[in-house]
């Protein structure tokens, strides 16, 4: 949990005043809209954007835009250009530091800036000289995940008793990253992967190790699942890394068919492969012939969800059939549904938003069906950064690909990852889930002709059950009426990654209200524009509201329609400063509790606890105090640059663990 960042400050208005929303814990505004400022001439859009921010230093407070903002991609739509710029502090990337500049380009090459948004952290002062190397950072990251999961689960690994096909946890360092806490915390970012032998699911954790003392100051899961059924306690989720696909040779396109799990016969775009002597669930119709990109559905029956923490299995093949009419085997595995639905979702983003596949550049869409949990039923689905993976289902739940909104949800995670890239933890993670639910349900209602005023239009995953009614079966309901003040759950990363599913329907419900009030086409365009042109990785509900309202104005929404958008967010309690009414910290990624993963000790009428400085940028010190509240607190540990954590006391003596760049000491 990252402690609070720098104190907020009002941004100065731009020379041509528009609407300015001040940033939180930064002097750079979170949103500027309604302006038309000429951008300096430059060779490309990113250069013009950086030159504009440099020229408006009094407004944006960015000391050296050319040095500290790295181009991260430009999206062009007609004469509109959206430039994403990632923040670097003294050459080191800043977690969630991303600023967006929106411009119009004229025929003569001149550009006009129409708005900006995002997070640029102006209070960073930390030095970037690391004392902890990659090897120690990886070791400490793996240890942190082992401790969090329960080290006893992995005892067989350490004793050499487990099958080598199920590897222990391993870590990969991605180098230095500054966490935007106060003056900044220099860390090494490590991804920990492996297999949890107790739960039979892959482990994928993003861990940030203090680069001076080697302590894990932030840890969260990178798993992007659909979510567990409401009635399934302890339902397991999974994720993993993508790998290189292997397509069969000598393809020839064909028209095929199959039967979905609801009994409907549908047309399928398939490919005849002479090498296998079979028709494959490979759709080549939605991409240019010479691109090599396809929509492919793969037979993963007999594969374990836990196997996706590594590379693509060599034995995996696309689902095949001796004839173009795929039979009962493809139906029962969920392959027909997955292949048909992937095409529908692809078409929604292409036809309504002009988006060419998940990455906007025509990437191949891979769906894997039929995965299990060590051979047992697996009732979940996930996006792993390169493909969709759908569980086998069980006696009650059909294979997860059987619901069009589930397929739409997982594919939308891919769209989010290639646009705003919302960090999958805390509020930004709940926003990620909300947008995935919104577009998943949007595709389903449009394709299946479900009226928006139907009481079941907001149900998510309601088509998966074999015996239960849709409402009993649904995983979530976008019309559940939840609000921030009555329903927001401020939980740590150990619970649902900080509430990514638990809190998602608060924001998704507001978006769904907008769709019901403004109609599907306009609402979808607003939400898509907010996602692709406004939102940045650490945005939460407040920034999400501002982004949607600004996108609506861009699309000339005004009057009663714009009031309806505001009303939708107000009804769900998503209003400026809503967090102040909670009495808890709503943002676990930039929260104000400045101690992470350190236990409290008590005994003999005394307590002992670890705490950082006020802004959370310094290592922790151990303090002790009387349980009756009398007397003054006592500083027990030296302020020597180490993290002093997990104290215990008997009322006479205090002991604790000290983490530094050398050995861990008691």
């Amino acid at each position: 949990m990252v402690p609070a960042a720098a104190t907020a400050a009002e941004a100065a208005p731009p020379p041509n005043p528009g609407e300015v929303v001040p940033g939180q814990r930064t002097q750079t505004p979170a949103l500027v809209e309604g302006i038309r400022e000429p951008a300096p001439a430059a060779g490309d859009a990113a250069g013009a954007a950086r030159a504009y921010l440099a020229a408006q230093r009094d407004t944006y407070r960015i000391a050296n835009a050319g040095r500290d903002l790295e181009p991260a991609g430009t999206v062009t739509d007609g004469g509109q250009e959206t430039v994403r710029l990632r923040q670097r502090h003294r050459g080191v990337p800043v977690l969630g530091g991303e600023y967006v500049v929106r411009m119009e380009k004229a025929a003569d090459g001149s550009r006009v800036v129409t708005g900006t948004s995002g997070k640029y952290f102006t209070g960073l002062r930390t030095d970037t000289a690391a004392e902890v190397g990659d090897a120690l950072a990886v070791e400490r990251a793996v240890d942190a995940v082992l401790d969090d999961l329960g080290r006893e689960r992995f005892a067989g690994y350490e004793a050499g008793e487990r099958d080598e096909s199920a590897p222990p946890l391993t870590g990969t360092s991605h180098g230095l990253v500054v966490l935007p806490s106060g003056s900044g915390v220099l860390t090494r970012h490590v991804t920990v992967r492996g297999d949890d032998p107790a739960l039979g699911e892959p482990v994928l954790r993003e861990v940030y190790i203090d680069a001076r003392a080697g302590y894990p100051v932030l840890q969260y899961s990178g798993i992007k699942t659909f979510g567990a059924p409401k009635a399934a306690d302890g339902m397991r989720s999974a994720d993993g890394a993508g790998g290189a696909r292997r397509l069969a040779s000598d393809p020839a396109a064909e028209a095929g068919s199959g039967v979905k799990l609801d009994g409907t016969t549908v047309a399928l775009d398939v490919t005849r492969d002479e090498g296998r002597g079979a028709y494959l669930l490979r759709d080549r119709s939605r991409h240019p012939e010479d691109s090599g990109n396809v929509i492919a559905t793969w037979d993963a029956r007999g594969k374990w969800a836990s196997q996706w923490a590594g590379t693509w299995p060599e034995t995996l093949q696309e689902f095949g059939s001796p004839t173009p009419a795929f039979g009962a085997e493809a139906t029962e595995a969920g392959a027909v549904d997955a292949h048909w639905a992937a095409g529908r979702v692809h078409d929604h983003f292409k036809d309504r938003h002009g988006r060419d596949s998940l990455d906007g550049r025509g990437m191949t869409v891979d769906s894997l069906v039929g995965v299990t949990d060590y051979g047992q039923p697996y009732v979940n689905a996930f996006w792993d950064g390169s493909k969709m993976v759908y569980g086998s289902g069980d006696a009650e739940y059909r294979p997860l690909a059987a619901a069009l909104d589930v397929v739409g949800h997982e594919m939308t995670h891919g769209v989010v990852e290639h646009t705003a890239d919302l960090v999958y933890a805390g509020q930004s993670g709940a926003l990620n889930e909300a947008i995935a639910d919104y577009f998943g349900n949007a595709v389903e209602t449009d394709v299946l002709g479900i009226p928006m005023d139907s009481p079941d239009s907001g149900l998510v995953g309601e088509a998966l059950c074999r015996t239960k009614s849709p409402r009993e079966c649904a995983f979530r309901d976008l019309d559940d009426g939840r609000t921030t003040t009555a329903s927001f759950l401020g939980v740590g990363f150990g619970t649902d990654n900080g509430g990514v599913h638990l809190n998602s329907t608060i924001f998704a419900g507001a978006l769904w209200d907008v769709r019901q009030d403004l109609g599907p086409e306009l609402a979808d365009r607003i939400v898509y524009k907010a996602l692709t042109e406004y939102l940045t990785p650490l945005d939460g509900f407040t920034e999400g509201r501002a982004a949607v309202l600004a996108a609506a104005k861009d699309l000339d929404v005004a009057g009663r329609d714009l009031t309806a958008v505001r009303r939708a967010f107000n009804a769900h309690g998503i209003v400026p400063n809503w967090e102040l009414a909670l009495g808890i910290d709503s943002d676990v990624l930039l929260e104000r509790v400045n101690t992470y993963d350190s236990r409290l000790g008590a005994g003999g009428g005394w307590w002992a606890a670890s705490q950082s400085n006020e802004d959370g940028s310094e290592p922790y010190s151990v303090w002790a105090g009387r349980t009756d509240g009398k007397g003054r607190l006592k500083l027990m540990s030296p302020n020597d640059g180490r993290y002093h954590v997990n104290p215990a006391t008997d009322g006479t003596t205090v002991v604790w663990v000290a983490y530094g760049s050398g050995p861990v000491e008691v």
Side-chain angles (χ1 to χ4, degrees):
M1 305 174 189
V2 183
T7 305
E10 292 286 335
N16 179 13
E19 183 173 344
V20 178
V21 178
Q24 297 182 18
R25 302 182 292 278
T26 175
Q27 293 180 316
T28 301
L31 173 69
V32 178
E33 58 175 325
I35 61 172
R36 294 193 64 81
E37 291 292 325
D44 60 11
R50 291 195 290 183
Y52 168 76
L53 295 173
Q56 304 295 341
R57 183 172 172 178
D58 289 344
T59 297
Y60 295 98
R61 310 297 175 90
I62 298 173
N64 191 327
R67 178 194 65 195
D68 298 335
L69 287 173
E70 179 181 59
T74 299
V75 175
T76 301
D77 182 8
Q80 309 292 319
E81 295 177 320
T82 301
V83 179
R84 289 186 178 269
L85 303 165
R86 291 188 185 136
Q87 183 180 2
R88 301 181 78 86
H89 171 66
R90 299 182 182 177
V92 177
V94 177
L95 177 66
E98 185 170 292
Y99 213 64
V100 178
V101 179
R102 291 172 291 280
M103 300 181 291
E104 292 178 1
K105 185 179 181 182
D108 63 2
S110 63
R111 292 180 169 93
V112 172
V113 176
T114 59
T116 65
S117 58
K119 284 182 166 60
Y120 181 94
F121 297 95
T122 54
L124 303 181
R125 301 290 183 271
T126 185
D127 187 78
T128 54
E131 297 178 23
V132 171
D134 283 333
L136 181 59
V138 167
E139 178 184 331
R140 295 280 175 86
V142 170
D143 282 344
V145 176
L146 284 170
D147 288 340
D148 188 61
L149 294 175
R151 192 177 288 268
E152 65 277 2
R153 299 183 191 174
F154 296 83
Y157 288 137
E158 296 173 358
E161 298 168 0
R162 289 193 61 85
D163 187 338
E164 291 183 2
S165 65
L169 302 184
T170 59
T172 302
S173 177
H174 304 292
L176 295 173
V177 174
V178 172
L179 301 188
S181 307
S183 58
V185 178
L186 183 68
T187 68
R188 288 196 182 275
H189 174 202
V190 179
T191 298
V192 176
R193 300 182 185 275
D195 171 32
D196 185 333
L199 297 182
E201 63 183 29
V203 173
L204 178 63
R205 296 288 183 96
E206 305 300 339
V207 186
Y208 294 82
I209 301 293
D210 186 292
R212 296 192 181 91
Y215 186 75
V217 292
L218 174 64
Q219 178 188 158
Y220 59 87
S221 174
I223 294 167
K224 296 181 177 71
T225 61
F226 177 67
K230 288 180 292 188
D233 294 333
M235 184 55 59
R236 301 161 184 174
S237 61
D239 200 355
R245 298 174 305 105
R246 287 194 168 185
L247 296 177
S249 58
D250 301 321
E254 297 275 356
S257 65
V259 180
K260 295 164 54 189
L261 280 155
D262 65 4
T264 305
T265 299
V266 292
L268 300 173
D269 291 292
V270 302
T271 295
R272 171 69 181 175
D273 186 334
E274 298 299 337
R276 281 182 59 183
Y279 293 87
L280 309 180
L281 288 182
R282 187 195 306 170
D283 175 4
R284 303 168 63 224
S285 68
R286 289 174 167 85
H287 298 91
E289 285 285 337
D290 59 356
S291 72
N293 296 327
V294 298
I295 294 176
T297 302
W298 301 77
D299 185 0
R301 292 174 298 169
K303 306 294 183 184
W304 300 344
S306 61
Q307 292 175 300
W308 307 118
T311 57
W312 190 288
E314 294 293 330
T315 57
L316 201 65
Q317 291 187 320
E318 290 161 286
F319 221 104
S321 167
T323 71
F326 281 69
E329 199 174 11
T331 299
E332 292 164 6
V336 171
D337 282 271
H339 199 67
W340 172 82
R344 306 287 83 71
V345 178
H346 178 281
D347 292 348
H348 170 89
F349 283 105
K350 180 71 170 179
D351 298 342
R352 184 153 294 178
H353 310 297
R355 186 173 191 83
D356 189 5
S357 193
L358 308 184
D359 66 349
R361 298 184 296 276
M363 71 177 284
T364 284
V365 175
D366 288 312
S367 302
L368 279 61
V369 298
V371 300
T372 63
D373 176 1
Y374 283 115
Q376 299 302 307
Y378 181 65
V379 187
N380 219 324
F382 58 88
W383 159 260
D384 75 351
S386 66
K387 59 185 179 293
M388 283 69 62
V389 180
Y390 300 102
S392 61
D394 61 10
E396 176 58 57
Y397 289 90
R398 297 185 175 105
L400 272 287
L404 178 54
D405 54 3
V406 176
V407 175
H409 176 106
E410 297 308 329
M411 290 179 66
T412 300
H413 276 312
V415 175
V416 172
E417 186 168 304
H418 286 97
T419 53
D421 197 19
L422 292 160
V423 173
Y424 197 63
Q427 260 192 71
S428 56
L431 192 56
N432 193 323
E433 279 292 314
I435 292 170
D437 270 350
Y438 174 87
F439 280 113
N441 259 28
V443 175
E444 182 182 66
T445 55
D446 289 358
V447 171
L448 301 185
I450 301 172
M452 284 300 297
D453 59 1
S454 166
D456 289 347
S457 73
L459 297 180
V460 181
E462 76 281 3
L464 289 174
C465 285
R466 303 180 192 275
T467 63
K468 294 179 182 177
S469 69
R471 188 156 292 276
E472 291 175 313
C473 182
F475 286 46
R476 291 179 291 280
D477 183 2
L478 306 191
D479 284 323
D480 61 11
R482 296 181 67 227
T483 67
T484 56
T485 51
S487 312
F488 188 90
L489 299 174
V491 296
F493 297 130
T495 302
D496 187 36
N497 239 28
V500 298
H501 297 96
L502 295 172
N503 293 318
S504 64
T505 58
I506 299 173
F507 198 90
L511 296 181
W512 204 243
D513 289 350
V514 172
R515 200 174 201 260
Q516 291 169 330
D517 289 338
L518 270 61
E521 184 171 353
L522 179 56
D524 291 354
R525 290 172 60 208
I526 291 171
V527 177
Y528 181 80
K529 191 174 188 69
L531 170 66
T532 57
E533 298 182 20
Y534 283 86
L535 292 174
T536 57
L538 285 183
D539 285 345
F541 289 0
T542 300
E543 294 91 346
R545 170 196 166 109
V548 171
L549 282 166
K553 294 173 189 176
D554 282 352
L555 293 171
D556 297 325
V557 175
R560 281 187 287 185
D561 284 346
L562 189 61
T563 298
V565 178
R566 289 195 182 96
R567 183 175 62 239
F569 286 106
N570 293 347
H572 289 267
I574 304 171
V575 296
N577 300 315
W578 63 268
E579 298 96 333
L580 299 179
L582 290 183
I584 59 172
D585 200 328
S586 65
D587 189 347
V588 293
L589 271 171
L590 290 172
E591 69 174 332
R592 294 145 185 86
V593 178
N594 53 7
T595 302
Y596 172 69
D597 201 25
S598 176
R599 293 182 292 276
L600 178 74
W606 286 77
W607 58 261
S610 296
Q611 182 172 307
S612 179
N613 61 334
E614 185 174 348
D615 69 19
S617 61
E618 292 184 0
Y620 310 154
S621 299
V622 172
W623 294 79
R626 294 170 58 98
T627 56
D628 61 10
K630 296 179 180 179
R632 302 178 66 178
L633 300 183
K634 297 180 181 293
L635 176 63
M636 308 303 297
S637 62
N639 186 14
D640 58 4
R642 294 185 295 174
Y643 283 77
H644 301 275
V645 297
N646 300 331
T649 183
D650 60 2
T652 302
T653 304
V654 179
V655 296
W656 64 88
V657 178
Y659 280 78
S661 58
V664 178
E665 297 180 349
V666 177

